[in-house]
Amino acid sequence: QAGTWWGRKCLISVMIALFLAGTLLALVGVVFEMAPLMLLSCVFAGLSGGVQMQGAAFVADISLDSTFTRNSGLFKFSVAMGSVVGMILHSLLGSLTVLYIVIAALAAASLLLCTFALPDWSPPKEKRKSPTSKQLRNALLLCHIVRRAWKLTTHTRLLLAAQFFEMAGFTCVRIWLFNYAIFHFGFKSSMCGVFILTIFFTGGVATAVGTRCAQAKKGADRLYWLQGAASAIASFGPSKPVTIWIM
């Protein structure tokens, strides 16, 4: 909601700056072995966690009805491919110090692009209004957000509920996969990296292809059934590494 008050470009820039600050704190913490700085960097990383949501909202604001699905798919594809590149960098850069330096450089480049290249179009400036103290307070209260959600149409509430349960199930299965693969099959660090990279890569490709080749409702139906299929494979599949890779 803050993006509608001050503009999404401003908010995205602030979040990237927070992430950059957190990365620099983590770098100093690693170099000088200071655990409090590492913990503080996690706080900054959490504060910058909404940048992807603001980016998706920016894409939605500047897209036409005819191009919204394609642009949203390309945005999610770029996020997934960025995660893949990040995993590759993690595997190539052995030193944690060098890794944080590279991350800081990438964050700085992203901040520069956002500041000087991203147009301030979302939302239009004439539609922005400074928030009142009541609006600020309500935006911070989770109960108020839930109450507003129940004022939406039945169809929208069902979509939100479906997305909630789908993500809860997906996260549960994914965490189980990571722990099970590491402890049961003895996956090494490099193999875990390949495992996570495969998940992000297939997710990005599926998003890009799905948004271009499938209608939204049909695509969602297929994806929700795949979530159940993954759980069934975990429950009844053979206790072998191939089961983990299929999931």
Side-chain angles (χ1 to χ4, degrees), residues 2 6 11 31 33 56 97 109 123 146 157 171 202 226 244-245:
W6 300 299
L11 212 59
V31 173
E33 298 183 354
T97 302
V146 174
R157 293 202 304 268
T171 304
T202 53
L226 285 175
I244 301 297
W245 290 104

PDB file of all heavy atoms in Angstrom, residues 2 6 11 31 33 56 97 109 123 146 157 171 202 226 244-245:
ATOM      1  N   ALA A   2       2.055   1.166   0.574  1.00  0.00           N
ATOM      2  CA  ALA A   2       2.939   2.334   0.614  1.00  0.00           C
ATOM      3  C   ALA A   2       3.330   2.774  -0.791  1.00  0.00           C
ATOM      4  O   ALA A   2       3.586   3.964  -1.026  1.00  0.00           O
ATOM      5  CB  ALA A   2       4.185   2.014   1.427  1.00  0.00           C
ATOM      6  N   TRP A   6       3.646   6.853  -2.075  1.00  0.00           N
ATOM      7  CA  TRP A   6       4.875   7.556  -2.437  1.00  0.00           C
ATOM      8  C   TRP A   6       5.437   7.139  -3.798  1.00  0.00           C
ATOM      9  O   TRP A   6       6.471   7.671  -4.207  1.00  0.00           O
ATOM     10  CB  TRP A   6       5.933   7.318  -1.358  1.00  0.00           C
ATOM     11  CG  TRP A   6       5.486   7.820  -0.018  1.00  0.00           C
ATOM     12  CD1 TRP A   6       5.172   9.105   0.311  1.00  0.00           C
ATOM     13  CD2 TRP A   6       5.294   7.047   1.169  1.00  0.00           C
ATOM     14  NE1 TRP A   6       4.806   9.187   1.634  1.00  0.00           N
ATOM     15  CE2 TRP A   6       4.862   7.935   2.194  1.00  0.00           C
ATOM     16  CE3 TRP A   6       5.446   5.710   1.502  1.00  0.00           C
ATOM     17  CZ2 TRP A   6       4.591   7.524   3.489  1.00  0.00           C
ATOM     18  CZ3 TRP A   6       5.170   5.288   2.790  1.00  0.00           C
ATOM     19  CH2 TRP A   6       4.742   6.189   3.759  1.00  0.00           C
ATOM     20  N   LEU A  11       9.790   3.327  -3.406  1.00  0.00           N
ATOM     21  CA  LEU A  11       9.804   2.216  -2.449  1.00  0.00           C
ATOM     22  C   LEU A  11      10.801   1.144  -2.861  1.00  0.00           C
ATOM     23  O   LEU A  11      11.520   0.584  -2.021  1.00  0.00           O
ATOM     24  CB  LEU A  11       8.404   1.622  -2.334  1.00  0.00           C
ATOM     25  CG  LEU A  11       8.026   1.055  -0.959  1.00  0.00           C
ATOM     26  CD1 LEU A  11       8.114   2.125   0.107  1.00  0.00           C
ATOM     27  CD2 LEU A  11       6.639   0.450  -0.997  1.00  0.00           C
ATOM     28  N   VAL A  31      34.238 -10.416   7.747  1.00  0.00           N
ATOM     29  CA  VAL A  31      35.666 -10.074   7.768  1.00  0.00           C
ATOM     30  C   VAL A  31      36.189  -9.990   9.193  1.00  0.00           C
ATOM     31  O   VAL A  31      37.276 -10.516   9.503  1.00  0.00           O
ATOM     32  CB  VAL A  31      35.903  -8.740   7.020  1.00  0.00           C
ATOM     33  CG1 VAL A  31      37.348  -8.288   7.196  1.00  0.00           C
ATOM     34  CG2 VAL A  31      35.571  -8.900   5.540  1.00  0.00           C
ATOM     35  N   GLU A  33      34.523 -11.107  11.929  1.00  0.00           N
ATOM     36  CA  GLU A  33      33.907 -12.151  12.765  1.00  0.00           C
ATOM     37  C   GLU A  33      33.067 -11.542  13.888  1.00  0.00           C
ATOM     38  O   GLU A  33      33.255 -11.832  15.074  1.00  0.00           O
ATOM     39  CB  GLU A  33      34.977 -13.079  13.342  1.00  0.00           C
ATOM     40  CG  GLU A  33      35.760 -13.829  12.269  1.00  0.00           C
ATOM     41  CD  GLU A  33      36.770 -14.794  12.867  1.00  0.00           C
ATOM     42  OE1 GLU A  33      36.928 -14.784  14.112  1.00  0.00           O
ATOM     43  OE2 GLU A  33      37.396 -15.541  12.109  1.00  0.00           O
ATOM     44  N   ALA A  56       6.368  -6.552  -8.932  1.00  0.00           N
ATOM     45  CA  ALA A  56       5.217  -7.152  -9.614  1.00  0.00           C
ATOM     46  C   ALA A  56       4.078  -6.158  -9.753  1.00  0.00           C
ATOM     47  O   ALA A  56       3.395  -6.112 -10.788  1.00  0.00           O
ATOM     48  CB  ALA A  56       4.759  -8.387  -8.841  1.00  0.00           C
ATOM     49  N   THR A  97      33.736 -13.978   1.781  1.00  0.00           N
ATOM     50  CA  THR A  97      34.014 -12.542   1.669  1.00  0.00           C
ATOM     51  C   THR A  97      33.843 -12.063   0.230  1.00  0.00           C
ATOM     52  O   THR A  97      33.208 -11.033  -0.026  1.00  0.00           O
ATOM     53  CB  THR A  97      35.448 -12.246   2.143  1.00  0.00           C
ATOM     54  OG1 THR A  97      35.596 -12.685   3.497  1.00  0.00           O
ATOM     55  CG2 THR A  97      35.751 -10.764   2.057  1.00  0.00           C
ATOM     56  N   ALA A 109      24.530  -1.937  -8.415  1.00  0.00           N
ATOM     57  CA  ALA A 109      24.147  -1.773  -9.815  1.00  0.00           C
ATOM     58  C   ALA A 109      22.625  -1.725  -9.968  1.00  0.00           C
ATOM     59  O   ALA A 109      22.084  -0.920 -10.744  1.00  0.00           O
ATOM     60  CB  ALA A 109      24.717  -2.925 -10.642  1.00  0.00           C
ATOM     61  N   PRO A 123       2.253   4.378  -9.102  1.00  0.00           N
ATOM     62  CA  PRO A 123       1.115   4.801  -9.931  1.00  0.00           C
ATOM     63  C   PRO A 123       1.341   6.215 -10.451  1.00  0.00           C
ATOM     64  O   PRO A 123       2.309   6.872 -10.036  1.00  0.00           O
ATOM     65  CB  PRO A 123      -0.044   4.748  -8.947  1.00  0.00           C
ATOM     66  CG  PRO A 123       0.573   5.042  -7.629  1.00  0.00           C
ATOM     67  CD  PRO A 123       1.954   4.465  -7.665  1.00  0.00           C
ATOM     68  N   VAL A 146      -6.530  -8.325   7.082  1.00  0.00           N
ATOM     69  CA  VAL A 146      -7.433  -9.475   6.931  1.00  0.00           C
ATOM     70  C   VAL A 146      -8.876  -9.002   6.824  1.00  0.00           C
ATOM     71  O   VAL A 146      -9.659  -9.517   6.012  1.00  0.00           O
ATOM     72  CB  VAL A 146      -7.254 -10.448   8.113  1.00  0.00           C
ATOM     73  CG1 VAL A 146      -8.287 -11.571   8.049  1.00  0.00           C
ATOM     74  CG2 VAL A 146      -5.838 -11.025   8.114  1.00  0.00           C
ATOM     75  N   ARG A 157     -11.729 -13.620  -2.825  1.00  0.00           N
ATOM     76  CA  ARG A 157     -11.379 -14.281  -1.559  1.00  0.00           C
ATOM     77  C   ARG A 157     -10.985 -15.735  -1.790  1.00  0.00           C
ATOM     78  O   ARG A 157     -10.049 -16.243  -1.160  1.00  0.00           O
ATOM     79  CB  ARG A 157     -12.557 -14.199  -0.585  1.00  0.00           C
ATOM     80  CG  ARG A 157     -12.868 -12.791  -0.101  1.00  0.00           C
ATOM     81  CD  ARG A 157     -13.636 -12.820   1.218  1.00  0.00           C
ATOM     82  NE  ARG A 157     -14.851 -13.607   1.119  1.00  0.00           N
ATOM     83  CZ  ARG A 157     -16.038 -13.136   0.797  1.00  0.00           C
ATOM     84  NH1 ARG A 157     -16.156 -11.838   0.505  1.00  0.00           N
ATOM     85  NH2 ARG A 157     -17.099 -13.905   0.750  1.00  0.00           N
ATOM     86  N   THR A 171       5.720 -24.734   0.334  1.00  0.00           N
ATOM     87  CA  THR A 171       6.837 -24.469   1.240  1.00  0.00           C
ATOM     88  C   THR A 171       7.103 -25.650   2.153  1.00  0.00           C
ATOM     89  O   THR A 171       8.255 -26.011   2.416  1.00  0.00           O
ATOM     90  CB  THR A 171       6.538 -23.213   2.078  1.00  0.00           C
ATOM     91  OG1 THR A 171       6.260 -22.117   1.204  1.00  0.00           O
ATOM     92  CG2 THR A 171       7.723 -22.853   2.958  1.00  0.00           C
ATOM     93  N   THR A 202      13.435 -24.858 -13.294  1.00  0.00           N
ATOM     94  CA  THR A 202      12.194 -25.445 -13.819  1.00  0.00           C
ATOM     95  C   THR A 202      10.996 -24.564 -13.489  1.00  0.00           C
ATOM     96  O   THR A 202      10.067 -24.441 -14.289  1.00  0.00           O
ATOM     97  CB  THR A 202      11.981 -26.850 -13.242  1.00  0.00           C
ATOM     98  OG1 THR A 202      12.046 -26.789 -11.792  1.00  0.00           O
ATOM     99  CG2 THR A 202      13.037 -27.813 -13.736  1.00  0.00           C
ATOM    100  N   LEU A 226      -0.560 -30.395  -9.755  1.00  0.00           N
ATOM    101  CA  LEU A 226       0.835 -30.806  -9.657  1.00  0.00           C
ATOM    102  C   LEU A 226       1.327 -30.763  -8.212  1.00  0.00           C
ATOM    103  O   LEU A 226       2.143 -31.584  -7.800  1.00  0.00           O
ATOM    104  CB  LEU A 226       1.708 -29.903 -10.534  1.00  0.00           C
ATOM    105  CG  LEU A 226       1.635 -30.143 -12.046  1.00  0.00           C
ATOM    106  CD1 LEU A 226       2.462 -29.094 -12.785  1.00  0.00           C
ATOM    107  CD2 LEU A 226       2.132 -31.550 -12.392  1.00  0.00           C
ATOM    108  N   ILE A 244      13.291 -37.818  -5.213  1.00  0.00           N
ATOM    109  CA  ILE A 244      13.503 -36.410  -4.872  1.00  0.00           C
ATOM    110  C   ILE A 244      13.624 -35.562  -6.127  1.00  0.00           C
ATOM    111  O   ILE A 244      13.026 -34.478  -6.222  1.00  0.00           O
ATOM    112  CB  ILE A 244      14.788 -36.270  -4.024  1.00  0.00           C
ATOM    113  CG1 ILE A 244      14.673 -37.116  -2.742  1.00  0.00           C
ATOM    114  CG2 ILE A 244      15.030 -34.813  -3.671  1.00  0.00           C
ATOM    115  CD1 ILE A 244      13.584 -36.699  -1.811  1.00  0.00           C
ATOM    116  N   TRP A 245      14.340 -36.040  -7.116  1.00  0.00           N
ATOM    117  CA  TRP A 245      14.541 -35.260  -8.338  1.00  0.00           C
ATOM    118  C   TRP A 245      13.250 -35.143  -9.134  1.00  0.00           C
ATOM    119  O   TRP A 245      12.981 -34.104  -9.741  1.00  0.00           O
ATOM    120  CB  TRP A 245      15.636 -35.884  -9.197  1.00  0.00           C
ATOM    121  CG  TRP A 245      17.007 -35.734  -8.603  1.00  0.00           C
ATOM    122  CD1 TRP A 245      17.734 -36.696  -7.975  1.00  0.00           C
ATOM    123  CD2 TRP A 245      17.795 -34.552  -8.553  1.00  0.00           C
ATOM    124  NE1 TRP A 245      18.930 -36.189  -7.532  1.00  0.00           N
ATOM    125  CE2 TRP A 245      19.004 -34.890  -7.885  1.00  0.00           C
ATOM    126  CE3 TRP A 245      17.615 -33.248  -9.015  1.00  0.00           C
ATOM    127  CZ2 TRP A 245      20.018 -33.954  -7.663  1.00  0.00           C
ATOM    128  CZ3 TRP A 245      18.624 -32.326  -8.798  1.00  0.00           C
ATOM    129  CH2 TRP A 245      19.796 -32.668  -8.134  1.00  0.00           C
TER     130      TRP A 245
END
